[in-house]
């Protein structure tokens, strides 16, 4: 409630008051139209034409909480991408086009490197193909077939397939830059950098440190349990022989 009051005050130019006594025009706000509208089972107060409005309110409706949560996440992701694009106007073609192009460059570069280092570069290039593969799986298409088409397009010598990405509508390949399927360049750079740093961190763990006291306690507990079990078995066998006699 306090957040709603602050937003209305900022949009209309009003000042929040603790009481309605002794009000004057200096603390009042203005808007072109105020109306109360029924939306489903709820009633909303709508302020339109506010002189200082820099934000808007979106009302999400759905048949279940799960659907509303999914719509909220999708809308939030879209707004954050637009916000990031406004702060950093550099964009790259989406749909896995950038990932496939980087993978092709790495594979070509790996052929010029002798030794086992070539395997590391090829593994990094193969890992980049996970994104277009996952896009194809999510769209319900054959990921192997789509990746083969993308490799063929990005391998063209004239460079005409550099922007080729997945067309989720047909399952084919399309120039995603011309189709307005873009990604902020900063988001893609940060994603690749973070993934590389995480992989390097995992690979740097070469030893596991254990507490000797904990290992000794575990071994002692296991031995005591086994001894009690053997004693119980001996008493059982003795009683059995006595009954047979």
């Amino acid at each position: 409630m306090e957040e709603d009051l602050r937003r209305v005050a900022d949009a209309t130019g009003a000042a929040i008051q603790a009481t309605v006594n002794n009000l004057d025009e200096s603390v009042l706000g203005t808007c072109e139209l105020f109306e109360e509208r029924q939306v489903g089972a709820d009633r909303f107060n709508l302020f339109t034409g506010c002189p200082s409005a820099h934000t808007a309110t979106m009302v999400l409706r759905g048949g279940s909480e799960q659907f509303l949560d999914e719509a909220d996440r999708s809308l939030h992701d879209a707004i954050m991408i637009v916000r990031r694009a406004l702060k950093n106007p550099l964009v790259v073609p989406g749909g896995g086009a950038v990932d496939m192009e980087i993978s092709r460059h790495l594979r070509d570069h790996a052929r010029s490197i002798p030794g086992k280092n070539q395997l590391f570069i090829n593994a990094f290039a193969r890992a980049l193909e996970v994104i277009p593969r996952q896009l194809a799986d999510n769209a319900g298409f054959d990921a192997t077939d789509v990746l083969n088409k993308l490799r063929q397009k990005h391998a063209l010598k004239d460079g005409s397939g550099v922007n080729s990405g997945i067309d989720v509508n047909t399952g084919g390949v399309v120039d995603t830059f011309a189709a307005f399927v873009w990604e902020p360049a900063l988001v893609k750079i940060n994603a690749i950098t973070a993934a590389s740093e995480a992989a390097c961190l995992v690979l740097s763990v070469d030893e596991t440190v254990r507490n000797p006291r904990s290992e000794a306690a575990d071994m002692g507990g296991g031995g005591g349990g086994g001894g009690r079990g053997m004693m119980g078995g001996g008493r059982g066998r003795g009683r059995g022989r006595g009954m047979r006699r």
Side-chain angles (χ1 to χ4, degrees):
M1 181 63 69
E2 183 179 353
E3 179 67 19
D4 293 338
L5 288 175
R6 187 186 62 79
R7 292 183 60 190
V8 171
D10 293 341
T12 60
I16 299 177
Q17 302 295 308
T19 179
V20 296
N21 297 326
N22 301 324
L23 293 178
D24 55 25
E25 295 184 356
S26 62
V27 299
L28 300 180
T30 58
C31 66
E32 294 181 0
L33 178 63
F34 168 78
E35 59 179 332
E36 186 177 356
R37 184 179 300 177
Q38 182 82 22
V39 180
D42 300 322
R43 302 183 68 87
F44 295 90
N45 296 327
L46 304 183
F47 298 82
T48 57
C50 298
S52 303
H54 300 287
T55 60
T57 302
M58 296 183 181
V59 179
L60 300 179
R61 301 181 62 201
S64 63
E65 290 293 333
Q66 182 179 3
F67 178 82
L68 286 176
D69 292 341
E70 185 64 27
D72 180 51
R73 286 192 294 268
S74 300
L75 187 61
H76 179 269
D77 292 343
I79 293 175
M80 290 298 103
I81 288 176
V82 174
R83 175 175 175 270
R84 179 65 65 182
L86 291 175
K87 287 189 174 183
N88 191 339
L90 299 177
V91 295
V92 294
V98 172
D99 309 281
M100 292 300 298
E101 185 65 17
I102 297 176
S103 177
R104 184 189 67 82
H105 277 285
L106 289 176
R107 292 182 188 276
D108 293 342
H109 177 65
R111 297 189 185 97
S112 62
I113 297 178
K116 294 182 179 180
N117 292 335
Q118 183 180 138
L119 301 177
F120 306 148
I121 299 176
N122 282 329
F124 195 101
R126 186 169 59 255
L128 289 171
E129 295 182 351
V130 171
I131 295 179
R133 180 183 295 275
Q134 191 63 46
L135 290 175
D137 289 337
N138 293 344
F141 300 112
D142 186 358
T144 302
D145 184 52
V146 173
L147 284 177
N148 289 334
K149 293 179 181 178
L150 287 175
R151 293 191 188 101
Q152 185 269 332
K153 283 291 185 179
H154 284 270
L156 296 176
K157 299 299 182 181
D158 57 357
S160 59
V162 66
N163 295 330
S164 297
I166 298 176
D167 186 356
V168 296
N169 296 318
T170 63
V173 177
V174 67
D175 188 338
T176 54
F177 197 85
F180 301 103
V181 181
W182 302 340
E183 293 185 65
L186 185 60
V187 173
K188 182 60 67 174
I189 293 173
N190 291 338
I192 296 177
T193 302
S196 302
E197 291 178 353
C200 293
L201 180 61
V202 173
L203 293 175
S204 65
V205 179
D206 58 352
E207 185 178 359
T208 302
V209 179
R210 294 187 178 183
N211 188 353
R213 295 183 179 179
S214 299
E215 294 182 356
D218 293 340
M219 293 176 62
R228 288 192 295 271
M230 293 173 65
M231 292 173 62
R235 290 194 296 269
R237 288 192 296 270
R239 288 195 297 268
R241 289 192 294 271
M243 291 175 65
R244 285 195 296 271
R245 292 176 182 173

